[in-house]
Amino acid sequence: MKIVVAIKQVPARDSLLKVNSAGTWIEDADLSWEINEPDAYALEAGLQLKERQGGEVVVLCAGPDRASQTIREALAKGADRAIHIESDESGISDPLHLAGIMAKALEPEKPDLVLTGLQSEDFGFGQTGVILAEVMGLPHATIIMNVEAEGSGIRVKRELEDGWFQNVEMPLPALLTIQSGATKLRYATLMGIKKAKTKEVKKLAAADLGGATSSVEVLRIYMPEKTKKSQIFDGPPKEAAAQLVEKLRHEARVI
Amino acid sequence: MSGILAVLEQRDSRLHKMSLEALAAAQQLGDELGLPVFAAVLGAEPEGLSGYRIEKLHVIEHDLLHRYTPDGYAIALKQVIEKHRPEYVLFPHTYQVRDFAPKLATSFGRVLVSDVVSHRVENGALILVRQLFQGKINVDVQFAGAGPCFASIQAGAFRAGALQAGSAPVEKFTPDLSASQIRTKPLELFRESDRAVDLSAAEIIVSVGRGIREAENIPVVQQLADALHAELAASRPICDNGWLPMERQVGSSGQTVAPKMYVAVGISGAIQHLVGMKGSKTIVAINKDPEAPIFEVADYGIVGDLFQVVPALIEALK
């Protein structure tokens, strides 16, 4: 089975974010970066499928130079090779544009299965996977907790609201967007890290791959204005606790 | 048609609770932009829409639409949109919409503006607000170029209570669909846990998030719950780790609650969690990060180390 896993490098989860003075993006010069968490689960799902079915896992990543780090980490975990779409675009990119570029990059690959995280932790559009499926003409399913090969196709477990789930049978080739949290994530072994150094990373320039023009214009980004009047107690724990209990008893009257 | 089309969701003829909010959004935007409001629903005609002001309710019926599939829904809606040409197509931001709406928008060469939290109209142009970084930062966007404008609305962004009464004449539509176009086969819906805990019945909920760091630390939060006579709940990662059962999960994939008081301990307030509890009457947040999005919705908050604050709170409650 040839499995393509699309991954994204995003600012580390607990980063302190500041909007830049132009209001176009965050100040990202000094941030730490990591793999988008749902994509780590997509990679894990791909690696587990490869272990069961045989085949190869190809990692696809669009991003600037620093994304190489995240690509190498994916290779160290067991992906076989990678495609790095080099793109310097900072700020919010259009998922339709991005999916077009990714589809072009994948044309020679003809994967059996494409896996993406269900959404990215920076933009959070939650659409690139679905758009990619439509552009590539693949059937898809989203927010997937489990994938199993079944006959010539797959059977997937889809998460729904309120504790509900649904199984779906699908043919291959197909695309799935993967939900976080269903399995444990593996760590790269020392051997894996060593092997990663010589695994192939094909570089493509985003500008060469076309892509659609945007139908959505970003006007500005900003810290949300507080609409609710919160009372925050930030003194020493004992004092803060006493103040809070006082308010809950006599102001909010909930205890 | 020109106008705003609200695509509503139903299961077994009952409307999804967010559908009424999407309809309220369509009515409000219709008033602000001077556009008529239409609605569409796939499958059977649902109960509960006849008393609301809708120009026309399109009921889209076909044998192949009895069970939801992204292919079926996207193809059928494309035909409705091409026939009636609405300027705006609104959806509630449900799991199902996340599954098919981006596919539908792409088929028109458009991008869906997803999970909208608020809006405004400036010089006749609609500006929508989305969230980035799990709710830490907002972004204003507007549509560009020609073609229908697709947007999905976050739970609670509009209130079903604001719906305007009126009549909703029904028009049935049978799309052109063949079995070979439906590529996926959906099976039965099922639940995994028995819902022995009904969080929606609890008056006070104490909820724990990633800030707790390890399973071994959870008892300290349980003690706080006991001191408040509260039920214990958790954000998704805690349940994914198996530290608390799935039935205690609050959020878009777990339970939605609105208790008298919700105490969020070590919970950052990512969107998926907030949509499950922001309707709570009094919200208390304890978090060491003063910028955590949970403080956006908190009535009271303590910025500090929960491992010191929670024991202090238990003491203060005695």
Side-chain angles (χ1 to χ4, degrees), chain A residues 117-136:
Chain A
L118 82 165
Q119 67 188 43
S120 64
E121 300 191 316
D122 50 7
F123 309 159
F125 276 109
Q127 301 181 45
T128 309
V130 179
I131 298 173
L132 182 59
E134 175 72 2
V135 170
M136 291 177 74

Side-chain angles (χ1 to χ4, degrees), chain B residues 154-172:
Chain B
Q154 189 175 103
F158 288 82
R159 294 184 316 106
L163 275 167
Q164 298 164 34
S167 65
V170 169
E171 186 174 288
K172 299 211 170 171

